[in-house]
Amino acid sequence: MNDAPPLLVARHLARRYGAQTVFAQVNLEVARGEFVTIVGDSGVGKSTLLNCLAALDTWDEGQVLFDGTDLTPLDDTARALWRRAHVGFVFQAFHVLPHLSVAQNVALPLMLLGRDDDARVRQMLAAVGLAEFAGRLPEQLSGGQLQRVAIARALVHRPPLLLADEPTGNLDPGTAARILDLLTRQTREHGAALVLVTHAASAAARADRVLRLTASGMAAY
């Protein structure tokens, strides 16, 4: 860690659905090169919080700041453009496009940024153990393989902010360890900030900090 300002900040963040409070008073700072894990009971809003940090979901109170810029007042288009350039998101539900091949799914962030790089796509597929599956369609893959496609896609454009929702949930222990090595390396070597939601003790053990989310806020675990 260094004395530079945090890359990602959440201040007094709250999310409600009608009269139901999902979480409130969430305060979080994540530095460049830092790996933070968020744990908590099922249904407490960990995935919702991750979506707020990516500006995929709205929040009812507070602020989310990235590199000093407040994302709160941005409209949907501005938020989408910000995510495209700065965020790699590993979704629990994968969200791969069924009509694109594995390689095309992984290449999508680069294509959207106008930075086509076939060599980088091949490198990422090899890194997640899917080099031989480049031409296959998602329907031809297992759940664990689809999760690895999503991870490769999230990392391919070297984003400064990585957000991962149970990224090892569908993986065997050996593959999970390999993926955690890859995520950690992206954080350490490229100075990315990584926020990972997990129930897995092995994943939490890799983090610089483990935080527990409750309905009333966030605390060190």
Side-chain angles (χ1 to χ4, degrees):
M1 303 300 154
N2 54 42
D3 294 328
L7 183 69
L8 179 68
V9 177
R11 291 179 180 160
H12 308 296
L13 207 64
R15 183 69 174 101
R16 299 184 182 89
Y17 293 118
Q20 180 182 1
T21 297
V22 181
F23 53 76
Q25 290 299 317
V26 169
N27 292 284
L28 172 68
E29 294 187 357
V30 187
R32 294 166 176 81
E34 186 179 20
F35 177 0
V36 173
T37 294
I38 297 174
V39 299
D41 296 337
S42 295
V44 78
K46 299 185 298 297
S47 295
T48 300
L49 174 59
L50 215 60
N51 287 336
C52 288
L53 296 178
L56 282 164
D57 199 353
T58 57
W59 47 95
D60 298 288
E61 293 177 11
Q63 295 174 296
V64 176
L65 299 97
F66 175 82
D67 204 14
T69 298
D70 188 357
L71 305 181
T72 310
L74 300 184
D75 62 20
D76 289 345
T77 299
R79 290 183 179 189
L81 291 172
W82 167 76
R83 278 193 301 274
R84 182 182 299 177
H86 299 291
V87 180
F89 201 118
V90 182
F91 295 94
Q92 194 171 0
F94 317 136
H95 292 309
V96 298
L97 298 181
H99 59 286
L100 297 183
S101 70
V102 166
Q104 289 169 331
N105 267 286
V106 173
L108 195 57
L110 292 170
M111 184 194 73
L112 292 172
L113 291 168
R115 289 164 36 193
D116 291 346
D117 187 341
D118 291 342
R120 174 65 178 166
V121 172
R122 289 194 298 271
Q123 178 188 16
M124 289 311 309
L125 286 173
V128 298
L130 293 177
E132 69 272 29
F133 295 93
R136 294 196 184 183
L137 291 173
E139 65 184 16
Q140 299 172 296
L141 303 185
S142 69
Q145 289 166 336
L146 288 171
Q147 188 138 42
R148 285 183 275 162
V149 172
I151 290 163
R153 181 184 58 194
L155 296 176
V156 71
H157 57 307
R158 296 186 179 92
L161 177 60
L162 290 168
L163 303 171
D165 193 356
E166 296 283 3
T168 60
N170 289 282
L171 305 179
D172 63 83
T175 304
R178 178 178 179 178
I179 293 304
L180 287 170
D181 285 342
L182 181 62
L183 289 169
T184 303
R185 189 161 60 248
Q186 183 83 2
T187 305
R188 306 291 188 240
E189 295 179 4
H190 298 286
L194 170 61
V195 181
L196 187 151
V197 163
T198 187
H199 286 101
S202 58
R206 299 285 194 105
D208 299 304
R209 287 186 291 144
V210 180
L211 303 175
R212 174 170 286 278
L213 179 65
T214 68
S216 59
M218 188 97 78
Y221 182 63

